Amino acid sequence: MAQIEQQSAAAAKPDERIRQVGFLTHMMRRPELGAVAGLVLVVVFFFFTADPSMFSLSGLMTILAPASQLGILAIAASLLMIGGEFDLSIGSMVAFTGLIFGALLTNFGQSLWISIVFTLLLAAVMGAVNGQIVIRTRLPSFIVTLAFLFILRGLTLVGLKWATGGSTQLRGIEDVVGDGLLKQVFSGVAFQPLFNWLAEHDLIEKFDNGVPKVTGVPVSVLWFVGITGVATWMLLRTRVGNWIFAAGGDPVAARNSGVPVDRVKTGLFALTACAAALVAIITVLDAGSTDARRGFQKEFEAIIAAVIGGSLLTGGYGSAIGAFFGAIIFGLVSIGLTYTQFDSDWFQVFLGSMLLLAVLFNNFIRRKVTGER
């Protein structure tokens, strides 16, 4: 009789997974909550301490340009972290794929579209190799990708000296690329006619000769926003998104449920490498050159932005929007200090403090909402 009553009570108890919760509780469960709160604090801080020009249109574009490049890496890193792994070679991959891309254009005389496709494909293959080594050897991704960090950085140095005859910088890329439509997809600024029109009607700042101080939106910002949207949709609205969360949360249970965990993780490693290659292509075309220090320490910055955005190193938790805000916080702090009276060497102190506060805040909110201890 008691057993029947227990079964009836269990049947009457609603499933935790489908239980309806209030809007406030739902929002507090979001991984990016800490990043949003951190962004508000940073903006308030600079509002009272920085020169007002920081919040002008030109100031905001100055901040968004580097933040967008980091953000592309951070979003890919956050997806990989949600899947239970992370990649320390992403910065070196930027340098190495930048070398490959530049060498194809200058040393081998290939067209821009062939160079872009080959660079992205090579990055995907190398990322997949990273993933397969992790999966087949069961070594921590920290060890495997740390090894590739040094391997790729060394190959970049050797390759640059070969391509240039002894220099660590490859120049002349802008001369062979030209100004075609394909280049505009990856380099320069967008919406120039719109900004010219705004300047003509005195809606934005302009120089005395009538040229707008901001000629357009950096193309990297458009890539950043677009990738954020696609990644968010994939995580929240597709079966692949469910697989990523499952692979990072409990890979054994995910495999038992039919989730192709190995394929998911391999794909995420390839995606992260392609994000690095995309940043390399953008930066090489913008600068017209590439060098051995390209992407230096970007692996740590991307992981920091992802963690500020709510991703956990243990996997199974995070969001692309959080990484989006984490990258913007990084850009605000790194560029914003130049608008204040503070020594720019305080940058790392600010960044480390923001990282710690964001993690503590996210953990506190999650425990309050879920009842964890």
Side-chain angles (χ1 to χ4, degrees):
M1 187 69 177
Q3 184 177 3
I4 294 176
E5 291 178 355
Q6 290 175 355
Q7 292 175 348
S8 300
K13 184 178 180 180
D15 192 329
E16 181 75 18
R17 296 170 296 178
I18 61 174
R19 186 177 65 181
Q20 297 293 321
V21 297
F23 175 78
L24 181 60
T25 303
H26 173 73
M27 293 305 297
M28 291 179 69
R29 286 179 175 176
R30 293 299 307 160
E32 60 272 7
L33 179 62
V36 174
L39 180 61
V40 172
L41 289 175
V42 170
V43 170
V44 170
F45 171 79
F46 283 115
F47 182 81
F48 289 104
T49 60
D51 188 278
S53 61
M54 174 180 173
F55 295 98
S56 66
L57 182 60
S58 58
L60 292 176
M61 290 302 173
T62 302
I63 291 169
L64 285 176
S68 62
Q69 295 172 12
L70 173 63
I72 293 171
L73 300 177
I75 291 169
S78 69
L79 294 178
L80 185 59
M81 289 170 65
I82 295 170
E85 310 290 346
F86 62 98
D87 190 348
L88 285 178
S89 67
I90 190 170
S92 297
M93 184 67 75
V94 172
F96 180 73
T97 52
L99 161 67
I100 297 300
F101 178 64
L104 286 171
L105 290 169
T106 58
N107 293 73
F108 295 96
Q110 298 300 314
S111 64
L112 181 58
W113 76 269
I114 290 178
S115 301
I116 290 172
V117 171
F118 183 87
T119 301
L120 290 172
L121 287 176
L122 177 64
V125 170
M126 296 185 71
V129 169
N130 251 344
Q132 284 296 303
I133 292 175
V134 171
I135 291 168
R136 294 181 182 276
T137 64
R138 297 187 179 181
L139 290 171
S141 55
F142 170 86
I143 299 298
V144 174
T145 58
L146 180 63
F148 270 88
L149 181 153
F150 291 104
I151 292 171
L152 293 176
R153 188 65 68 178
L155 288 175
T156 302
L157 283 168
V158 173
L160 278 170
K161 290 181 179 180
W162 166 82
T164 61
S167 175
T168 58
Q169 185 176 42
L170 180 61
R171 303 173 184 270
I173 294 172
E174 187 174 3
D175 297 332
V176 299
V177 171
D179 292 315
L181 178 62
L182 184 59
K183 180 186 177 183
Q184 298 175 14
V185 175
F186 294 91
S187 176
V189 295
F191 308 125
Q192 285 182 294
L194 172 62
F195 278 73
N196 289 332
W197 181 87
L198 292 173
E200 290 175 2
H201 292 79
D202 297 322
L203 297 176
I204 60 174
E205 294 180 304
K206 60 183 179 181
F207 296 104
D208 294 337
N209 60 1
V211 177
K213 291 186 177 180
V214 177
T215 58
V217 179
V219 170
S220 60
V221 175
L222 301 183
W223 278 100
F224 179 35
V225 173
I227 290 173
T228 302
V230 172
T232 301
W233 170 79
M234 181 179 69
L235 282 175
L236 301 181
R237 293 289 184 265
T238 69
R239 180 172 59 179
V240 174
N242 292 331
W243 287 352
I244 294 173
F245 280 107
D250 190 340
V252 175
R255 285 190 179 92
N256 294 336
S257 301
V259 175
V261 173
D262 292 349
R263 278 190 292 161
V264 169
K265 293 194 174 189
T266 301
L268 289 174
F269 273 106
L271 179 65
T272 304
C274 284
L278 174 60
V279 170
I281 291 169
I282 291 172
T283 55
V284 168
L285 289 177
D286 279 341
S289 64
T290 186
D291 57 78
R293 289 185 62 83
R294 192 64 56 91
F296 184 67
Q297 290 192 340
K298 289 299 180 183
E299 58 275 348
F300 301 109
E301 295 176 3
I303 292 172
I304 288 172
V307 171
I308 290 176
S311 296
L312 297 181
L313 294 175
T314 53
Y317 188 81
S319 77
I321 296 178
F324 176 89
F325 287 121
I328 292 179
I329 289 174
F330 195 101
L332 276 171
V333 174
S334 61
I335 304 299
L337 286 176
T338 62
Y339 288 89
T340 69
Q341 299 298 320
F342 294 100
D343 191 330
S344 59
D345 290 336
W346 282 96
F347 163 64
Q348 293 186 353
V349 176
F350 275 76
L351 186 62
S353 301
M354 186 58 61
L355 171 63
L356 182 60
L357 289 174
V359 172
L360 291 175
F361 183 80
N362 279 333
N363 286 341
F364 173 77
I365 293 297
R366 189 172 68 255
R367 288 173 181 174
K368 286 292 184 182
V369 173
T370 63
E372 295 178 8
R373 292 186 178 180

